[in-house]
Every structure is written in C-alpha cells, then in structure tokens.
Amino acid sequence: MPEYIFKALDTSGKIVEDQRTAESEQMLVRQLQMEGYMPIKVTLQTASFWGIRTRAKDKFHLTQKEILLFSRELATLLQAGLPLDRALRVLIDLAGENSNLNPVVKDILEQVKSGKNLSDALESQGKVFSRFYINMIR
C-alpha cells in the first residue's frame, strides 16, 4: 500500500502532520474524518504539492494547479470556521518555504491585516489572478 503524508486540523484547530499507509487518498481522508480530523492536505510521500516555481518580472506566476489548490484549501479552512487571516497563515505553513505560493499568500495576508478586502489583495498581485477569479471573490 502507498504511504501518504497528511496535514489536518484537530478539533482544537491545531495542525497535525503525520504519515500513514492507506489503500488510496480517499480512504485516508475518510479515515481521518472518522477520527475527528479535518484533512487539509494529503499527498503521496514522494509527490510535490504546490508545483513548480516560475518567475515573471519580479512577481511570481502561479500555475492553474497552484491557484486551484490555493482556492480549494482556503475554501476548506473558511468553511471550517477559521477567520480569513488565520486561514491564510495556515496556507503559508502548509506551502512551506520552497513554495511558489508562499510569497504571494504572505503578501495577501499582510494586505488583509492592513484592512484591504481579499479581492483587492488578490488584485494587487499583478497578473497572478485573473479578472474573472478576482470578480468571483468580490
């Protein structure tokens, strides 16, 4: 059976990191949910979660996969009842220092903490997020 690395929130809102063997990713997610955890990230032990880093004129360019994962993870954390700033901090912790997403989320967090709307913070990232995406958030 494959080995998976996971990050999940326990009932007190703390992040738990561990690895387990399971038949599939879906089976591991179900098992974690039955144990009272809210799975945030489940990956094969050798898989990369956030993708490949690329640069475009001093701003990071995110792939569609990275934007999808950012959106999905942020939605999950917000649905779990975390405030926006706490959810963004969790995403920074999940992404890790080598992630292309980390500097973008850090900048968004700082702007949200200074009083900007999430949509305005996303818009200030240049062409990282499309107009359509920003308007959906708005």
Side-chain angles (χ1 to χ4, degrees), residues 1-6 19-28 31 42-47:
M1 280 197 282
E3 186 94 13
Y4 293 93
I5 298 172
F6 71 89
Q19 67 182 52
R20 290 193 188 171
T21 304
E23 289 181 25
S24 69
E25 183 177 325
Q26 293 80 13
M27 294 294 289
L28 179 57
Q31 181 183 10
V42 176
T43 56
L44 282 171
Q45 188 169 8
T46 58

Side-chain angles (χ1 to χ4, degrees), residues 2 9 13 20 36-37 39 44 46 49 55 73 79 82 92 104 130 133:
L9 291 174
R20 290 193 188 171
Y37 294 104
L44 282 171
T46 58
F49 184 66
R55 276 192 177 255
E73 299 303 321
Q79 287 174 354
L82 273 92
I92 291 167
V104 174
S130 71
Y133 185 89

